[in-house]
Amino acid sequence: KIISTLETDVTELNKEADSDKKHIARLEKDQTKLKEEAESNKKIISTLETDVTELKEKGDSDKKYIARVEKDQTKLKEEAESTKKIISTLETNVTELKKRS
């Protein structure tokens, strides 16, 4: 009877050990997948960080360009106003000269 009980216990322990081995194998497989995903995510993050840096640099460059264009526009508007005043003065002078003739 003792031997039979011990044999049953050994059989049950072997079944548990097999089950544990399978469970460990699944966990190791899951862990490998998670490590691979983590590596992939690191690469994605690195790429995104590079993209963000490049976009920030482009944004800074664009802001500088916009500032230059706005400055140029201001100068052109000032020149246009000055030109309008000159044209107006010249038109007045032409009108007065025509009246004299």
Side-chain angles (χ1 to χ4, degrees):
K1 236 180 184 182
I2 294 174
I3 292 174
S4 175
T5 303
L6 289 174
E7 286 175 343
T8 301
D9 289 348
V10 167
T11 301
E12 286 179 22
L13 288 171
N14 282 334
K15 287 179 184 177
E16 285 181 28
D18 287 343
S19 176
D20 288 348
K21 285 179 186 175
K22 289 177 184 174
H23 188 68
I24 288 169
R26 280 194 306 271
L27 290 173
E28 287 174 342
K29 186 177 177 182
D30 291 346
Q31 187 176 22
T32 300
K33 283 183 183 178
L34 290 171
K35 285 180 180 178
E36 289 170 356
E37 284 180 30
E39 284 303 312
S40 175
N41 288 341
K42 285 179 186 176
K43 290 176 185 174
I44 291 169
I45 289 168
S46 177
T47 300
L48 290 172
E49 287 173 339
T50 300
D51 291 348
V52 166
T53 300
E54 288 175 1
L55 288 170
K56 283 181 179 177
E57 289 171 356
K58 185 179 182 322
D60 290 345
S61 175
D62 289 348
K63 286 176 187 172
K64 289 176 185 173
Y65 175 75
I66 289 167
R68 279 195 311 272
V69 169
E70 287 174 342
K71 187 177 178 182
D72 290 347
Q73 280 184 340
T74 301
K75 285 182 184 176
L76 290 170
K77 286 178 183 177
E78 290 169 356
E79 287 177 17
E81 286 303 313
S82 176
T83 303
K84 285 179 187 176
K85 290 177 185 174
I86 292 169
I87 291 170
S88 178
T89 302
L90 290 172
E91 287 174 339
T92 302
N93 291 343
V94 167
T95 302
E96 287 180 17
L97 286 171
K98 283 183 177 178
K99 286 180 184 177
R100 290 184 193 167
S101 301

